[in-house]
Amino acid sequence: MKEISAGGVVFRRSEQQLQIQLIQDRYGKISLPKGKMEHGETVEETALREIAEETGMVGKIIAPIDQIKYQYVNEAKGTVDKEVHYYLVEAVGGTLQAQVEEIRGVDWFEPQEAWRRQRTAGYNNNNRILAGALKLLGIEV
């Protein structure tokens, strides 16, 4: 069975300051907003919907970043081939608010602080996703 999810690295610019959004997932790890594709959606629509649902922010896709592929075992479905598509997303509206049913928290960070938090408290497979987003934004880590 194949399962497709999508999400993004959300950024905003305010007063010439760039900030990156990170979430704290239900397990207490630093992560990025993402979720499963619903019937009839494109991968891009899934990414934007999940970001809005989990963080309250309305976004605009700037560029694709990369995909993460892995397998996990579900008791009912067996082995699942998981594919997660990530995009660089600019926040264009909304109000920052964590969907507490799904995540513990969400906040904005300076790029270097976001990178530090990802490296110390995030999932290893998100390192290249955040690094790719920062590179697209002209920031080397």
Side-chain angles (χ1 to χ4, degrees):
M1 184 195 163
K2 186 172 185 177
E3 186 178 284
I4 298 176
S5 289
V9 176
V10 182
F11 74 96
R12 70 177 181 182
R13 295 185 196 276
S14 58
E15 298 137 25
Q16 306 307 313
Q17 187 178 35
L18 178 70
Q19 292 182 312
I20 304 295
Q21 181 191 84
L22 295 175
I23 67 168
Q24 185 181 43
D25 71 12
R26 66 184 100 179
Y27 308 107
K29 299 270 285 184
I30 294 299
S31 194
L32 303 166
K34 71 167 184 347
K36 294 178 192 167
M37 184 186 292
E38 293 180 356
H39 184 71
E41 276 185 327
T42 65
V43 181
E44 293 85 357
E45 288 167 343
T46 300
L48 295 175
R49 176 183 53 76
E50 285 291 339
I51 289 165
E53 286 177 5
E54 289 189 1
T55 72
M57 299 307 298
V58 176
K60 174 178 81 172
I61 291 178
I62 303 302
I65 300 170
D66 205 347
Q67 295 176 24
I68 293 174
K69 295 180 181 183
Y70 59 94
Q71 288 185 326
Y72 72 93
V73 177
N74 177 294
E75 285 183 25
K77 302 174 189 171
T79 301
V80 178
D81 291 315
K82 179 87 174 194
E83 196 175 278
V84 187
H85 299 252
Y86 283 102
Y87 296 90
L88 180 63
V89 176
E90 183 175 11
V92 294
T95 304
L96 193 68
Q97 183 174 344
Q99 181 186 24
V100 293
E101 302 83 11
E102 295 280 331
I103 64 174
R104 288 188 185 177
V106 59
D107 212 341
W108 296 103
F109 300 95
E110 303 299 312
Q112 294 299 335
E113 177 62 11
W115 179 245
R116 186 190 71 74
R117 286 174 182 255
Q118 165 56 40
R119 297 280 299 182
T120 58
Y123 296 98
N124 288 340
N125 58 6
N126 280 344
N127 287 345
R128 69 182 164 88
I129 301 300
L130 184 55
L134 293 172
K135 186 174 183 179
L136 287 169
L137 292 166
I139 297 165
E140 293 295 327
V141 289

